[in-house]
Amino acid sequence: MTKIKQQPGFALKALSASVIASMLLLSACSSGGGGGSASKEQDPNGKVTLNFMTQSSALAPSDPNDKLINQRLEEKTNVHINWKNFTKDVFVEKRNLAMASGDLPDAIFDAGYGDYELLKLAKDGAIIPVNDLIEQYMPNFNKVLEAAPEYKAMITAPDGNIYAFPWIEELGSGKERIQAVDAVPWINVEWLKKLGLEMPKTTEELKKVLIAFKTQDPNGNGQADEIPLSFINKPGAEDIAFLFASFGLGENPDHAVVTNDGKVVFTPAEEDYKNAVKFINELYKEGLIDVEAYTQDWSTYLAKGKDHKYGLYFSWDKANISGADDSYDVMSPLAGPDGEINVTRTNALGFHRGRMVITSANKNLEATAKWVDQMYDPIQSVQNNWGTYGDDKQQNIFEYDAEKNTLKHLPLNGMAPVELREKTSVGGPLAILDSYYGKYTTLPDDAKERMRIVKEIMAPHMKAENVMPSVFNSIEELDRLTTIETDLFAYVLRMRTEWYQNGKIDQQWDAYLKELDRLGLQEWLEIKQSGYDRATK
């Protein structure tokens, strides 16, 4: 199952109204660039050409039309896409620049917009509402909304309009949803075996195991080059915060946990958070934490993981880091000092509202809507998400049975799932409902294993009955949330990192809580609680 790094809730600073206004003026005056598209009358074969902007992995072809999925799609729809494609690392900057310059594409595919940006661009007329297009030209998408009507409410803005096409990927539900936990702890079982150690069951046992990894040469090379514990120090699947749940409510990437009586809690202001940070500092003082953990990026983390240098690390899927072999296994959630075991649920769904938008420059709305609707054809959605079949130039994700109209996942043969998918899939808007498995596609092997981990190892220890739903806040609420979160979340991460290393959390805690309030925590909690109450009433 593809892990999506992007978190919808963390909106970027949106463009100002004056910038958008000048952009639209430029667009209206411009006769070239990405603003217009060739009409059917201009093409003797009736083929429509549209100008799209998108993003892709550096592993993928620079021209998305070199992907077999897109070649088949052009043949099926008689729509040619002129792509302006950027790698993920620069896409947001290029996207914002294009929207501000007046060189508007017809649409932005795999747009990655947060809610605040969507409403700001809509308010300023840069993107258009798509309600009527969905109703008139999008039977596939309408079938999705009929089968799963909750998404209709989730994609509809407070003003009643729909401004973007979503990405929907279901697998499991409730506590057994595949996204119910983000980071999974992977422990080096070969090292445990070599040193005659049991799998740790408590936080204290973990500390003893990590000390043994550091001091007893489990890789047997006579050098103290083992890294007992590593992580990437930011919210996400590689974060050490999985361990925080052993001390109470725990932590998740949104810093928001909902109690069983429906109260939204900001986790970094809780006493149990303080105790968890103190435990990480104990590990730090023992020299058990990777010296690069606080600064490393994905590629550095991956390189050491591939060399099996870690005693314990965190990731969505071990195949992406240390490989799919048996050297590492899941470490079950640990009992904390009070003997309690908890796994903090994430608020994540396989859902993102702002996956594709149509701009006000688009002169071929019908053709565009019909093309987008193909994204929601079940067989197309499955390929968009994972990759395709019948490619004679590289490894395939699927085998296609034309008679049954089904896509069967092929073995990955040692290839890291994320690498193969990034080469061949196209992302963008799509829908994969739970009902599609066994009907249109199979479960990939890595998803089967992850579902087993979530169901058997994690879900039984999830104490929280509630999660924060995907609330579509008003632009006023989003304006405040974005402003507050920019400083609040950065401050939380900075202080957490300092405390991991200097251990001064007790002395600085009261001043820290006051600073959280000064940065707007109470207003943040009010907006979040109000959103939760609206969505669950």
Side-chain angles (χ1 to χ4, degrees):
M1 185 67 50
T2 310
K3 173 67 182 133
I4 302 297
K5 297 281 179 194
Q6 197 173 330
Q7 297 290 338
F10 302 151
L12 299 152
K13 292 290 184 190
L15 302 168
S16 71
S18 59
V19 171
I20 298 283
S22 59
M23 168 195 83
L24 291 172
L25 182 62
L26 278 167
S27 171
C29 300
S30 167
S31 58
S37 56
S39 68
K40 285 188 179 182
E41 289 73 31
Q42 292 170 316
D43 188 294
N45 301 314
K47 183 173 281 193
V48 175
T49 296
L50 299 168
N51 296 298
F52 286 4
M53 176 180 279
T54 193
Q55 60 175 319
S56 69
S57 164
L59 299 173
S62 58
D63 182 356
N65 284 326
D66 290 340
K67 288 183 177 178
L68 187 55
I69 290 176
N70 285 330
Q71 290 169 9
R72 288 194 183 117
L73 196 59
E74 178 166 340
E75 202 173 304
K76 183 177 181 181
T77 62
N78 207 28
V79 172
H80 175 75
I81 309 296
N82 278 335
W83 296 99
K84 197 172 269 191
N85 179 40
F86 298 98
T87 51
K88 291 177 179 179
D89 56 329
V90 299
F91 170 71
V92 169
E93 179 192 350
K94 300 291 187 183
R95 178 199 70 188
N96 292 350
L97 191 61
M99 293 298 275
S101 70
D103 191 20
L104 284 176
D106 290 315
I108 305 181
F109 184 86
D110 212 2
Y113 278 127
D115 294 348
Y116 181 64
E117 297 164 301
L118 283 180
L119 294 185
K120 192 76 176 72
L121 291 167
K123 182 181 177 184
D124 292 313
I127 62 174
I128 64 167
V130 295
N131 309 47
D132 292 345
L133 297 178
I134 292 170
E135 200 174 312
Q136 293 175 47
Y137 305 120
M138 300 187 67
N140 288 316
F141 189 39
N142 277 309
K143 280 181 195 166
V144 171
L145 298 179
E146 284 162 20
E150 64 272 21
Y151 291 110
K152 182 76 178 284
M154 289 163 69
I155 63 175
T156 303
D159 66 2
N161 282 320
I162 298 169
Y163 291 110
F165 301 106
W167 168 82
I168 298 166
E169 183 187 9
E170 294 184 344
L171 185 46
S173 61
K175 292 182 179 181
E176 295 180 8
R177 197 175 66 242
I178 197 166
Q179 304 91 354
V181 63
D182 199 358
V184 171
W186 300 97
I187 195 164
N188 193 321
V189 287
E190 285 188 346
W191 290 6
L192 288 175
K193 188 177 176 185
K194 173 90 183 290
L195 301 179
L197 298 168
E198 296 288 322
M199 180 75 77
K201 293 184 173 61
T202 69
T203 50
E204 275 307 302
E205 285 177 14
L206 173 63
K207 194 199 313 188
K208 288 174 184 170
V209 163
L210 296 176
I211 290 170
F213 285 169
K214 177 183 168 65
T215 59
Q216 296 180 28
D217 190 29
N219 67 13
N221 68 354
Q223 299 172 40
D225 57 351
E226 293 87 353
I227 300 170
L229 171 62
S230 193
F231 55 92
I232 295 178
N233 188 37
K234 63 180 181 182
E238 294 73 43
D239 193 9
I240 197 172
F242 176 87
L243 299 180
F244 284 32
S246 298
F247 297 85
L249 287 175
E251 169 70 307
N252 62 30
D254 302 321
H255 305 305
V257 166
V258 182
T259 65
N260 288 349
D261 58 359
K263 183 187 175 192
V264 180
V265 173
F266 184 69
T267 44
E270 293 295 295
E271 196 72 17
D272 63 79
Y273 176 94
K274 180 169 75 167
N275 294 329
V277 172
K278 285 163 79 170
F279 174 69
I280 308 303
N281 174 248
E282 289 175 27
L283 303 183
Y284 175 81
K285 285 191 291 190
E286 294 281 356
L288 305 175
I289 292 176
D290 187 352
V291 292
E292 294 183 300
Y294 307 108
T295 56
Q296 66 189 342
D297 61 10
W298 170 263
S299 58
T300 309
Y301 190 63
L302 176 62
K304 291 178 288 187
K306 280 188 171 177
D307 289 341
H308 290 196
K309 288 188 173 179
Y310 301 142
L312 177 71
Y313 73 90
F314 302 86
S315 181
W316 175 270
D317 182 350
K318 70 176 179 178
N320 293 329
I321 303 287
S322 57
D325 61 29
D326 295 329
S327 307
Y328 289 81
D329 200 358
V330 181
M331 181 182 76
S332 295
L334 304 171
D338 62 359
E340 293 290 310
I341 302 174
N342 183 33
V343 172
T344 308
R345 294 172 68 179
T346 73
N347 302 311
L349 293 167
F351 172 74
H352 182 214
R353 264 185 282 271
R355 199 44 76 98
M356 181 176 180
V357 295
I358 298 176
T359 76
S360 53
N362 192 308
K363 302 292 189 290
N364 270 299
L365 296 177
E366 180 180 342
T368 304
K370 287 178 175 176
W371 186 91
V372 178
D373 191 52
Q374 286 304 311
M375 302 296 105
Y376 293 100
D377 172 83
I379 292 295
Q380 185 68 44
S381 280
V382 169
Q383 292 176 79
N384 283 11
N385 198 44
W386 280 295
T388 194
Y389 63 92
D391 194 329
D392 56 12
K393 295 187 178 123
Q394 61 183 359
Q395 188 174 332
N396 286 285
I397 288 278
F398 291 111
E399 182 177 82
Y400 180 58
D401 185 329
E403 192 177 320
K404 294 180 180 173
N405 194 33
T406 58
L407 290 160
K408 178 187 173 187
H409 279 272
L410 293 169
L412 289 162
N413 297 327
M415 170 75 85
V418 71
E419 284 187 25
L420 185 53
R421 290 166 193 165
E422 285 192 348
K423 284 180 184 177
T424 59
S425 64
V426 297
L430 56 86
I432 297 168
L433 303 181
D434 253 335
S435 58
Y436 290 10
Y437 299 102
K439 183 176 182 181
Y440 297 112
T441 190
T442 54
L443 267 184
D445 289 342
D446 57 308
K448 272 185 210 166
E449 174 59 10
R450 186 171 167 89
M451 291 295 281
R452 183 193 71 78
I453 291 165
V454 171
K455 182 175 181 177
E456 296 177 11
I457 301 173
M458 302 298 177
H461 299 292
M462 291 176 184
K463 293 183 176 180
E465 298 303 325
N466 304 312
V467 292
M468 191 72 200
S470 182
V471 179
F472 205 150
N473 292 99
S474 70
I475 193 166
E476 293 78 18
E477 289 171 326
L478 289 164
D479 188 33
R480 291 303 300 142
L481 286 174
T482 305
T483 303
I484 293 167
E485 287 176 3
T486 299
D487 294 330
L488 185 69
F489 289 6
Y491 177 67
V492 165
L493 182 59
R494 178 168 66 82
M495 294 308 296
R496 186 184 87 169
T497 305
E498 288 180 15
W499 289 332
Y500 283 169
Q501 297 170 82
N502 69 25
K504 293 181 180 176
I505 191 166
D506 277 333
Q507 302 93 303
Q508 298 177 347
W509 185 251
D510 289 344
Y512 164 78
L513 292 179
K514 283 180 185 168
E515 181 63 6
L516 294 181
D517 282 344
R518 191 190 72 78
L519 292 172
L521 173 57
Q522 297 311 315
E523 185 183 355
W524 184 90
L525 282 167
E526 284 170 20
I527 296 169
K528 288 286 184 180
Q529 187 68 56
S530 171
Y532 177 83
D533 293 343
R534 287 197 308 268
T536 55
K537 68 182 177 186

